[in-house]
Amino acid sequence: MDNIKAVKLIGGDIIMGQIKTDFLGNITITEPQQCVINVDEGRMEVLLADWIPFSMKYEFKLNRKNIITMFDVKPQLLTNYKVGTGNNKR
């Protein structure tokens, strides 16, 4: 598990997962988690939830036309992702 990034999609969703990019710039994202922003008493928290919770698969192909940007996340969010997906030993 070495290429975990966040992806902001054209519809506004921010998802994170293991990323593979093909030669055309399209990506495959494995175990995507949606970043859900919660503001409580003036503090912002980022919670993670299954991106498509009713899907039987855990790998999705995204066309580059639907991607605004891709970026590395802060260490705490990365740790939360690894623990939440059961990948904290990698």
Side-chain angles (χ1 to χ4, degrees):
M1 165 159 338
D2 53 343
N3 199 21
I4 299 172
K5 297 206 179 278
V7 179
K8 181 163 178 122
L9 301 174
I10 232 168
D13 287 349
I14 299 174
I15 58 175
M16 63 183 294
Q18 298 174 58
I19 302 292
K20 292 181 188 172
T21 306
D22 70 13
F23 66 96
L24 295 174
N26 301 314
I27 68 167
T28 299
I29 186 166
T30 304
E31 294 189 280
Q33 295 285 302
Q34 182 170 0
C35 297
V36 180
I37 299 170
N38 183 35
V39 179
D40 186 29
E41 295 183 12
R43 291 189 42 181
M44 184 180 80
E45 296 178 317
V46 179
L47 307 172
L48 296 173
D50 289 339
W51 181 41
I52 303 177
F54 42 84
S55 176
M56 289 182 62
K57 62 181 183 173
Y58 61 94
E59 187 174 277
F60 301 88
K61 294 183 188 284
L62 300 175
N63 188 296
R64 66 186 173 111
K65 294 177 183 177
N66 295 315
I67 299 168
I68 294 174
T69 191
M70 197 166 17
F71 55 94
D72 294 323
V73 297
K74 293 182 177 182
Q76 183 61 47
L77 187 55
L78 181 60
T79 299
N80 292 350
Y81 172 84
K82 289 179 178 180
V83 170
T85 58
N87 292 309
N88 56 336
K89 296 185 184 199
R90 296 185 202 167

